[in-house]
Amino acid sequence: MKHDEELLKKAYNEKNKNLQKLEDTIRTYANKIEGFKNLRKRLQTLMTKRGKIENKIQECNKLIETGLKFLGLPFEVEDPELKVKVAQRFLLDPEKLEDAKKEYENIKKKIEEKTSEKNKKKEDLRKDKKEMVELEQRLEAAELARQLTERLEAAIKTRRSDMLKKIEVRALSYYERMTDQHDYDSIRINPETYVVSVHPKGLVEHIPAMRDGGGHQTILALAVRLALLETLRFRSLLILDEPTYGVDSKNIPQIAEYLGETARLLAQTILVTHHDICEEEASNIIEVEKDEKGVSFVKTKF
């Protein structure tokens, strides 16, 4: 039994050695195959380069053949003595031919440089044309913007003129309601300076409102402000400081009555005055008085 086991073990070791040799042989052949593959790739690369070189040679031969035909020389392109024969035909020695070749190369180089410069200028011209088109488009857009701006300015001017006319008409109406002295037939507001002028009845031209009496100026200013509030639809707040300043006593009741009517149309009206006017329309009355020492103090009536 032990003898058989030793024989089997010995046979196994021999087979294992043979297997290792076989694996080494396989690796050797695999390396050789990989080397052949690399060699094949190199050969393919060289064949490709060779094909390119042969094509280049054919192109050169065609150029030489074309040159020979142009010069009327009955020589073959493949003739190894072609250079000498051409030199003999033109009585040129090889050195002069070489000089001519160099001169040809220089001329060719200059032509290539000029061609490159020409192409560069063509590209610059193309860019300039593109920029020109873009500039024309911008000019068209600018012209359109200018036209729109002019139309907008004209519309604003027309709108402002219409608004001022409404304010002028309403101001005259308010003025006539606040006084029995109907001395004017129109009120005008300068659209540039917004200076108010009036046209007294019987005169040819308007006169500045500031040239009128103090009482009339006060009534005119109040009329214009009320007209402005109505035209702009501003109903929130109206602040009046001495709206009856300079107004004669017979016009004050009419102004007070009209201010009372106006106050009812607004959310809030603040009136500062030295006269007891519009108290019946007031929600709150704050009086400012002085004591015996001359110190002012505030007293709320209701």
Side-chain angles (χ1 to χ4, degrees), residues 212-265:
D212 208 339
H216 282 252
Q217 287 189 35
T218 300
I219 298 174
L220 281 170
L222 181 58
V224 171
R225 281 160 176 76
L226 293 175
L228 182 62
L229 288 177
E230 182 178 353
T231 304
L232 296 179
R233 301 179 184 277
F234 186 82
R235 308 286 186 182
S236 301
L237 175 65
L238 173 62
I239 301 176
L240 298 173
D241 186 9
E242 294 293 347
T244 58
Y245 175 78
V247 179
D248 54 36
S249 58
K250 65 179 182 179
N251 284 323
I252 290 179
Q254 287 180 264
I255 295 177
E257 181 182 356
Y258 193 75
L259 288 178
E261 295 177 2
T262 303
R264 288 193 291 271
L265 300 177

Side-chain angles (χ1 to χ4, degrees), residues 26 36 50 63 95 208 221 223 268 282 295 297 301:
I26 291 173
F36 286 136
R50 178 183 176 183
L63 290 174
E95 292 182 359
Q268 187 175 11
V295 178
F297 65 95
K301 295 181 67 173

Side-chain angles (χ1 to χ4, degrees), residues 12 51 78 107 112 141 155 164 192 197-198 207 209 212 216 222 225-226 228-229 245 264 276 291:
Y12 170 78
E78 304 295 337
I107 294 173
E112 289 175 351
L164 288 176
E192 301 298 331
S197 61
V198 294
I207 63 172
D212 208 339
H216 282 252
L222 181 58
R225 281 160 176 76
L226 293 175
L228 182 62
L229 288 177
Y245 175 78
R264 288 193 291 271
D276 295 331
D291 58 18

Side-chain angles (χ1 to χ4, degrees), residues 143-154:
E143 176 62 21
L144 179 60
R146 185 190 65 80
Q147 293 177 3
L148 291 175
T149 301
E150 288 181 352
R151 292 178 183 176
L152 180 60
E153 289 177 350

